[in-house]
Amino acid sequence: CEVRPGPEFLTRSYLFYANRLFKAYQFYYWDPSCRDPSYSLVIKGKLRLRQASWITRGATEADYHLHKVGIVFHSQKAMREVAAWINQTSGEGCSGFLPPGRTWAPGALYELLSAKTERDCTAALGFAMHELSLVRVEKHYQPLLQPQQSGSRLVEELYLGDIHTEWVERLHYRPTGYQRPMQSAVHHVHPCPACGIIYRADEHHPPILPVRAQLPMQLSGSWVSTHCEVRPAVLFLTRYFIFHGNNHTWEGYYYHYSDPLCKQPTFTIYASGHYTQGIPSSKVRGGTELAFKVTQARVTAMDQVTVMMLNSSEPGSCGLTSSWSAGVEQDITPTNGCLALGIKLPHTEYELFKTEQDTKDRSLLYIGERPTDGSSPDSPDKRPTSYQAPLIQCAGASEEFSNYVSLKYLGKKDANGNEALKPLPVAFLLFIALLFLRWD
């Protein structure tokens, strides 16, 4: 069950044909467990792959054209609500989309968009398919689960463009990052109870996902990224967090890279501080609201480009003036952060957290999605309403991520004799093969 900014709860099923046509289903729900459907969209169109993206390395740019978008309501309440949105916010051609008092007809398909008649009533739903303008397919191999079996299973995942965190920006935003990947119906991660349910669904029979137990928020421990994460505005990074529940303090390592495989490190940020007791979110059911105070930070420049940038920054704005060198950590707390990297200290962020267990009973931690415009959730009204890719608790990471040799880092002394952090360049990574989506 996906959570989009808003929040919106949905599942998706996309089918791409050899002749470049596609048919996509988006199923929307009232609840974060995707068990109470609201309405379904069936989307038909054409997709043309273009060239490798100049902005987001590892991605392919694409053009798409929508032929039809239809909507099926799954309750009178959903029909009434959507009709009100469309009637209030759409132009002349959509003002009478559904007459007031119209009775819900189960299974009836209503046309929201038609290329032939040039009618488009989708804007009121915040609907756009700009996610199709940025495409990436990853292939990797998953070890077989049964102890008596050896070998591995092919897994294919489709990454599509990210959705803007601001509702009003969605309709014209062109993505530079990704949403969480979709699984191939044939070659998917096992076990995946939701995969078959979503694959067999259609606009008249939306998927109802299995019941999942609500877990209490237990942050204590260490959590790490499961893969190289791609953020809007060309950011590639991995994250590693340690939460100390006894005194509500935290430490975080943010490893930044210049490439989508996270093999070429640029700089590392270590931050620490404390966090508040969590309270249930009134806006995003299943989420917990916390506030995080960042009081200390250290930076390690990992390449010469970053070293030059930091050494040429305004004196007194980022550590000791002109004192940066590759692989040597420096405390930026005395300069109240680092202006060149957009770090301000002290700093408070208003966050949204959620914990879940995956199908292998490993603990996952979801942290609020960062604002697409690069700003910080530094006030309660900026608190996220959706999540980033999950972190996995380190106790559960060793089974699947055999390439994680260690979460420790090679020690290197800085000028003061203190331990500086230098990431292991390869052992920390999942090795994944990039394969661009192709049609003849």
Side-chain angles (χ1 to χ4, degrees):
C1 189
E2 301 178 57
V3 183
R4 283 187 174 178
E8 286 182 330
F9 310 112
L10 76 157
T11 57
R12 296 176 293 154
S13 175
Y14 293 3
L15 179 61
F16 300 94
Y17 298 96
N19 60 0
R20 298 179 182 170
L21 296 176
F22 70 86
K23 183 179 183 180
Y25 293 114
Q26 293 184 353
F27 308 101
Y28 290 81
Y29 301 81
W30 299 108
D31 67 304
S33 301
C34 289
R35 292 185 52 79
D36 185 10
S38 168
Y39 62 88
S40 299
L41 299 180
V42 56
I43 304 138
K44 295 179 180 180
K46 195 164 193 173
L47 183 71
R48 182 174 67 91
L49 296 173
R50 294 171 57 207
Q51 70 275 337
S53 173
W54 288 93
I55 300 172
T56 307
R57 288 176 59 190
T60 297
E61 293 180 357
D63 289 329
Y64 72 92
H65 179 68
L66 297 182
H67 297 159
K68 283 186 177 183
V69 178
I71 187 168
V72 175
F73 302 105
H74 302 303
S75 68
Q76 182 73 35
K77 177 187 174 187
M79 183 180 191
R80 190 167 55 243
E81 202 166 275
V82 171
W85 295 340
I86 294 174
N87 291 339
Q88 287 170 15
T89 61
S90 299
E92 281 292 312
C94 301
S95 56
F97 173 70
L98 283 175
R102 180 78 171 267
T103 305
W104 169 54
L109 180 69
Y110 301 94
E111 194 174 76
L112 283 173
L113 178 148
S114 170
K116 279 186 179 179
T117 62
E118 298 183 351
R119 186 189 200 202
D120 185 356
C121 304
T122 60
L125 300 178
F127 170 83
M129 288 298 285
H130 298 327
E131 62 193 90
L132 293 177
S133 62
L134 199 68
V135 177
R136 170 172 148 184
V137 170
E138 282 189 10
K139 284 188 176 185
H140 60 91
Y141 289 87
Q142 177 190 19
L144 296 175
L145 298 177
Q146 289 75 12
Q148 68 273 18
Q149 291 181 309
S150 61
S152 57
R153 170 189 289 113
L154 174 65
V155 173
E156 290 183 303
E157 295 178 315
L158 171 64
Y159 287 80
L160 296 176
D162 62 303
I163 307 299
H164 202 288
T165 51
E166 288 294 325
W167 181 276
V168 294
E169 300 292 333
R170 277 190 190 186
L171 299 183
H172 53 80
Y173 170 67
R174 293 291 169 169
T176 54
Y178 302 116
Q179 299 173 68
R180 289 187 63 196
M182 300 177 76
Q183 301 287 320
S184 163
V186 180
H187 303 294
H188 56 77
V189 170
H190 285 259
C192 182
C195 290
I197 297 171
I198 297 170
Y199 174 71
R200 289 188 293 270
D202 60 33
E203 66 269 34
H204 305 295
H205 308 92
I208 309 297
L209 298 191
V211 177
R212 301 186 71 172
Q214 288 285 328
L215 294 180
M217 175 60 64
Q218 294 182 339
L219 277 183
S220 295
S222 302
W223 306 80
V224 69
S225 296
T226 62
H227 63 279
C228 186
E229 298 174 12
V230 182
R231 300 274 178 83
V234 203
L235 284 177
F236 307 105
L237 76 159
T238 57
R239 298 172 291 151
Y240 173 41
F241 288 100
I242 308 163
F243 297 99
H244 306 281
N246 56 338
N247 59 5
H248 279 219
T249 59
W250 68 280
E251 302 169 78
Y253 298 86
Y254 305 82
Y255 303 98
H256 290 257
Y257 303 82
S258 62
D259 69 295
L261 290 178
C262 289
K263 285 188 174 183
Q264 299 161 15
T266 52
F267 63 93
T268 296
I269 300 170
Y270 166 83
S272 63
H274 53 269
Y275 61 95
T276 61
Q277 183 77 37
I279 60 169
S281 172
S282 58
K283 202 166 187 181
V284 187
R285 277 193 289 156
T288 300
E289 295 181 353
L290 302 99
F292 276 76
K293 187 78 174 277
V294 188
T295 54
Q296 293 183 310
R298 304 194 294 265
V299 170
T300 308
M302 301 301 294
D303 67 352
Q304 287 304 320
V305 173
T306 307
V307 169
M308 289 172 62
M309 178 187 74
L310 296 178
N311 278 333
S312 61
S313 59
E314 187 180 329
S317 68
C318 187
L320 296 173
T321 305
S322 302
S323 63
W324 294 90
S325 58
V328 179
E329 186 181 62
Q330 192 172 146
D331 191 353
I332 58 169
T333 310
T335 53
N336 297 321
C338 179
L339 192 62
L341 297 177
I343 303 170
K344 294 179 183 178
L345 294 174
H347 179 68
T348 300
E349 295 197 341
Y350 295 85
E351 270 296 359
L352 179 73
F353 275 47
K354 176 179 71 169
T355 52
E356 278 186 2
Q357 280 191 324
D358 67 9
T359 51
K360 298 178 188 174
D361 295 328
R362 298 171 305 187
S363 296
L364 302 178
L365 174 64
Y366 292 83
I367 299 178
E369 190 172 358
R370 310 300 296 174
T372 306
D373 64 7
S375 63
S376 171
D378 53 9
S379 61
D381 61 301
K382 286 188 174 182
R383 193 186 300 274
T385 55
S386 56
Y387 302 100
Q388 300 174 49
L391 305 173
I392 191 168
Q393 197 159 34
C394 290
S398 57
E399 298 172 22
E400 185 166 339
F401 308 116
S402 56
N403 289 319
Y404 282 46
V405 172
S406 172
L407 286 172
K408 302 292 183 185
Y409 289 79
L410 297 176
K412 184 173 181 179
K413 303 290 184 181
D414 63 17
N416 300 319
N418 298 319
E419 280 283 311
L421 293 176
K422 183 179 180 183
L424 293 167
V426 176
F428 192 69
L429 302 175
L430 279 174
F431 293 98
I432 50 179
L434 287 180
L435 178 73
F436 296 139
L437 214 63
R438 287 194 174 95
W439 287 286
D440 296 325

